[in-house]
Amino acid sequence: MQTRKLGKNGPEVSAISIGTSWGINSLSEWHQSKERLSQTLHQVIDAGINFINTADFYGCGISELVIGEVIKEQRKDVFISVKTGAVINPHGHFTGLDGSPKGIKNYCAYSLKRLGVDEIDLYQPCRVDPEVPIEETVGAIKDLIAEGKVRYLGLSEANAEQLQRANKIHQVSALEIEYSLATRFIENEILQVARTLGTAIVPYSVFSYGLLTGKMKFPLPENDYKNMLPRFENVNLEHNLKMVEQLKEFAKSKNASASQIALAWLLNQGDDIIPIVGMTKPERITENTEALKINFTNSELQLLNETFNEGAFKGERYPPAFLSWVAS
């Protein structure tokens, strides 16, 4: 497994990270999926992927419980990243943010217990709370680092100015943010600021909620949550699926899948890019790790960059009500 350095003050971690949102929101769903998810995590670790990405609100803590059980005998073999600060109702729905120092430290105590660990490797607010100065949120995590409960500071969906302010309080090792062939806004400013500060980029939604896998069909089922995202509204989705057809044609020329090309493109954007890939089935592990072997010629990269430039895909990445909670 290839490794990459997590920011200028961080450790070497696997070049890709496994995401563990899994869509589990109840204990019954956990028991039904527990064996498969545990098996997948074990095989991911065996394949050399040691960077495990989770959040205390995934399944209202269930994701952390699964991870904690799997890593009991392998704690030294894994690097655990935890997002925090989301206020979630019993149905798993997002209702707000709490980036207060008291809230952050309280969330951390629960995560340590569920994971069964003494220290969280990377800890980060899932979003910047507009009601709390980022200096206060980051200051709480700095305290946790001093107390030996957290090793490294991360941020998620912070803009360039917020990243700079946070880094003045403590070195930010990683910025988790949406970045893919379909979503390239961070190239305008955020990416350069992160590189100046020595902050690694940890992209999520690398397949743009499944769009870049080449397997999505039009129209989406009525009960599909993606219908709430502007990018998947009827006219936008029709246009975006035509763009994906071009990606599939390119993938054929490389004897790869569309998702492998999307992942390989990200990996080729720099050694400070460490993508998060959701994997719930063991067979997905091989497909994703094979993307590490894909190389592009300069002309191929130029073709991808020109074809899938920022704005090539239509529709905002979130509904208007959510845009104030994400970077731009």
Side-chain angles (χ1 to χ4, degrees), residues 11-14 45 48-52 67-68 70-80 115-119 121 151:
E12 292 282 329
V13 296
S14 55
I45 296 169
I49 300 174
N50 68 348
F51 189 175
I52 300 176
I67 292 168
V70 168
I71 67 168
K72 279 180 181 177
E73 307 301 325
Q74 296 178 282
R75 176 63 184 103
K76 294 181 180 180
D77 299 329
V78 297
F79 183 91
I80 301 172
L115 289 165
V117 299
D118 298 321
E119 189 176 44
D121 297 307
R151 293 178 64 198

Side-chain angles (χ1 to χ4, degrees), residues 8 30 32 48 175 179 199 239 315-316:
K8 71 178 184 181
W30 175 31
Q32 291 169 13
L175 173 63
Y179 187 29
T199 299
H239 168 85
E316 295 280 0

Side-chain angles (χ1 to χ4, degrees), residues 208-211 216 218 220 226-234 236-237 240 314 316:
S208 191
Y209 299 95
L211 178 64
M216 190 173 291
F218 180 88
L220 296 177
K226 290 188 288 294
N227 284 307
M228 67 175 282
L229 303 175
R231 182 165 289 172
F232 298 92
E233 292 173 355
N234 287 346
N236 289 340
L237 182 57
N240 293 336
K314 303 301 182 183
E316 295 280 0

Side-chain angles (χ1 to χ4, degrees), residues 53 63 67 72 89 106 139 168 231 238 276 282 305:
N53 186 287
S63 174
I67 292 168
K72 279 180 181 177
N89 68 19
N106 181 62
K168 289 179 180 179
R231 182 165 289 172
E238 283 189 280
I276 301 170
N305 287 328

Side-chain angles (χ1 to χ4, degrees), residues 18 22 33-47 66 70 74 279-283 285:
I18 178 173
W22 294 332
S33 307
K34 181 179 176 182
E35 184 176 348
R36 172 173 55 82
L37 296 176
S38 295
Q39 179 188 13
T40 301
L41 270 178
H42 278 299
Q43 293 189 15
V44 161
I45 296 169
D46 290 343
V66 176
V70 168
Q74 296 178 282
M279 290 178 269
T280 59
K281 299 176 181 177
E283 55 265 29
I285 301 170

